[in-house]
Amino acid sequence: MSAPTVTPGLDTAPTSHPRLLAWVREVAELTTPERVVWCDGSAPEWERLTGELVDAGTLVRLNPSLKPNSFWSRTDPSDVARVEERTFICSVDEADAGPTNNWMAPAEMKRTMTELYRGCMTGRTMYVIPFCMGPLTAENPMFGVEITDSAYVVASMRVMTRMGQQALDKMGDDADFVACLHSVGAPLAPGESDVLWPCNDTKYISHFPETREIWSYGSGYGGNSLLGKKCYSLRIASAIARDEGWLAEHMLILKLTSPEGDVRYIAAAFPSACGKTNLAMLEPTIPGWTVETLGDDIAWMRFGSDGRLYAVNPEYGLFGVAPGTDWKTNPNAMRTLARGNSIFTNVALTDDGDVWWEGMGEPPAHLTDWHGNDWTPTSDRPASHPNSRFCTPISQCPILANEYEDPKGVPIDAILFGGRRKTTIPLVTQARDWTHGVYLGATISSETTAAAAGKVGVVRRDPMAMLPFIGYNAGDYLRHWIEMGKGAEGDPDKLPKIFYVNWFRRGDDGRFLWPGFGENSRVLKWVVERLNGTADAVETPVGFVPASSSLDVSGLDLSEADLAAVLAVDAEEWRSEIPQVTEWFEKFGDKLPGVLWSELDALKARLGIE
Ligand code: GDP
Ligand code: PGA
Ligand code: MN
């Protein structure tokens, strides 16, 4: 028997883009899929793919009267999070990957992965997904094309990106695109039946910043497989942004309107599973204030001709942490999900075909847990995985701001950095100036979460919440931030003001000192009042914190002692951070901007060290 000479679908491409056609052919020849499918992004395509996934058992259709057009899926128990240990920045020069990334020479990585990819799509369909990060109406639309052998990835990419025929048409015959190759790494022999969640124990998430390529192998989990997201919009885009003088950041974007109608735009960078999606969709508890959502994970920020920094959300959907999401904590997420059209991964399934996860109130008497097993409230394991996710269209968010589709973006007034720390870091601190703000961002510390494979709860430095996402040398990245502070017109007044927040400080008894969620609107109000020059602050060694009377806590059930504790700057705690910060900075060698050493020296002096 001879192999078919033409792979079905290969010669019926709906494009004549020469580079794209050549690449698709090359990948098909290497990976030997049964057929090639060009994704158009249409509703019938979604129906067909989700239908096939339901037939295969990978997706379970939820009860249409509760969650219309929505699906439940479970991954392989080993494939539940981003794999930072297996993530590589393959710059030509090792120094360009820097002290914080894994590196392998591009030629060597390509040799290794080419052997993994050889025949890896045997028995499977190879999908070609043209997509665009950011509005298609942008002056320079940022295209990508993902090749994948996972229909789950195609369906998820339809939620998360502007994809399909609209992107392909806009690309014409000569648009540049980031080539994104993904395989679950699980070829099927003739007659071999598929598993629910194919993946491979060998995993690589590789980035080639010079040639703007991404090669992902072995994992189907979103952060490793939806290559438009962290891989393109952060790792590759940050390298492009360095070259072109803009910023690709791990930030939510929100619009905040005061009772008087003053509009402010705020971007905030928190590490994964530290509160971006929740803050982006916040329902303020203080009367008269409104929040509208622009983005919950990624911001691309460029200076406008007026010298202000404008932010665009390149994504089209929300890929949010499920546990903890509830009508009390994040009602806007619940409303978004109620509209359907969502994919839930590794949450629990209720007997009436809805989803459930920890933090969603009292559990029902019986569930199917994320392993597919029976679960009752007496079970000793959580029903949902702590990094279980919802994937849902951002257009369904009831508080989506009108500016969302504006390719120009919104002018950012304030940047919040934040992390998850039980101790030390006050609820909110204002930086003295841009450089001090960059220092605060450069030294963010946060307890690790279930969003990445590995130990949870270990404090690590996470510069600008970008540690796993900087696509080049982190020292150069910090220098780029310092450079951005010179502004487009050398006017520091036009720069966003920088703040540092921590919703996660705990009391001696282990409970959160600050109620968080909607109550974080009180912190946003203080931020705006600082921008307006109307709120009092106390200058401490680490920056400006609210004078206890300047934070609006009216109507809040919070004791004086807890308020004091959540705002406290304890010099002893801060002195004990200094050795870690010093060690952190030493990692960067002479790449670290000298002004950041000066900031550390000034902090030490204010803390009475040396
Ligand atoms: P993201 O990954 O940065 O987008 O983080 P999420 O907004 O999805 O939140 C991650 C986890 O932190 C979820 O379990 C949330 O319920 C929880 N969380 C978010 N905001 C707060 C807050 O203000 N206080 C507390 N205690 N938990 C929060
Ligand atoms: P997030 O992103 O946790 O920052 O929302 C997803 C991920 O880290 O995989
Ligand atoms: Mn999120």
Side-chain angles (χ1 to χ4, degrees), residues 527-589:
V527 164
V528 168
E529 289 174 348
R530 289 297 292 168
L531 299 176
N532 295 340
T534 56
D536 283 340
V538 183
E539 186 163 12
T540 77
V542 298
F544 297 97
V545 301
S548 56
S549 58
S550 71
L551 190 69
D552 180 355
V553 290
S554 54
L556 186 63
D557 184 17
L558 182 76
S559 72
E560 293 266 334
D562 281 358
L563 178 61
V566 82
L567 293 175
V569 175
D570 179 318
E572 201 43 58
E573 276 183 331
W574 278 97
R575 278 193 282 269
S576 68
E577 294 278 301
I578 300 296
Q580 297 151 40
V581 175
T582 307
E583 194 185 317
W584 167 240
F585 276 3
E586 280 168 351
K587 270 174 92 105
F588 297 91

Side-chain angles (χ1 to χ4, degrees), residues 81-82 221-224 229-230 250 270-274 276-277 296-297 319-321 387 389 449 451-452 469:
R82 286 182 292 101
Y221 170 75
N224 303 323
K229 193 175 181 53
K230 308 287 190 183
H250 192 202
F270 312 150
S272 292
C274 293
K276 292 182 300 300
T277 300
D296 81 320
D297 198 42
F319 183 65
V321 175
N387 191 40
R389 297 275 171 165
T449 68
F469 309 120

Side-chain angles (χ1 to χ4, degrees), residues 343-540:
I343 300 171
F344 298 87
T345 303
N346 288 337
V347 304
L349 178 69
T350 68
D351 292 351
D352 59 354
D354 204 347
V355 287
W356 190 88
W357 46 72
E358 274 65 26
M360 205 195 266
E362 283 301 305
H366 178 264
L367 290 166
T368 306
D369 72 10
W370 74 275
H371 288 283
N373 297 327
D374 288 322
W375 187 95
T376 65
T378 59
S379 300
D380 53 7
R381 293 200 299 185
S384 68
H385 187 275
N387 191 40
S388 55
R389 297 275 171 165
F390 55 77
C391 176
T392 194
I394 198 169
S395 60
Q396 294 182 184
C397 176
I399 58 162
L400 187 69
N402 281 334
E403 297 89 325
Y404 168 74
E405 283 287 355
D406 186 346
K408 184 162 102 304
V410 294
I412 298 299
D413 295 291
I415 290 174
L416 316 185
F417 291 123
R420 185 184 280 269
R421 283 295 301 273
K422 291 187 175 72
T423 66
T424 318
I425 317 286
L427 179 65
V428 56
T429 311
Q430 183 179 9
R432 286 190 306 280
D433 54 27
W434 181 269
T435 307
H436 182 228
V438 174
Y439 172 86
L440 295 182
T443 57
I444 289 180
S445 54
S446 197
E447 293 148 19
T448 51
T449 68
K455 262 188 93 170
V456 169
V458 181
V459 175
R460 68 175 186 184
R461 299 288 142 184
D462 191 342
M464 284 72 179
M466 282 284 282
L467 180 70
F469 309 120
I470 302 171
Y472 59 104
N473 187 305
D476 290 333
Y477 170 78
L478 296 176
R479 184 173 305 277
H480 185 53
W481 263 89
I482 295 289
E483 287 297 316
M484 292 294 285
K486 296 186 177 141
E489 297 170 341
D491 184 353
D493 282 349
K494 291 187 174 166
L495 291 168
K497 301 291 180 285
I498 299 178
F499 297 78
Y500 189 176
V501 301
N502 177 24
W503 313 141
F504 301 96
R505 203 165 183 180
R506 294 185 191 242
D508 295 334
D509 50 2
R511 86 207 137 81
F512 290 116
L513 287 169
W514 178 252
F517 302 104
E519 305 295 0
N520 293 334
S521 55
R522 299 169 188 276
V523 173
L524 297 182
K525 178 181 175 188
W526 186 79
V527 164
V528 168
E529 289 174 348
R530 289 297 292 168
L531 299 176
N532 295 340
T534 56
D536 283 340
V538 183
E539 186 163 12
T540 77

Side-chain angles (χ1 to χ4, degrees), residues 264 302-310 411-413 488-489 494:
R264 297 289 190 168
R302 295 177 170 84
F303 283 111
S305 52
D306 59 358
R308 300 193 63 193
L309 196 56
Y310 284 76
I412 298 299
D413 295 291
E489 297 170 341
K494 291 187 174 166

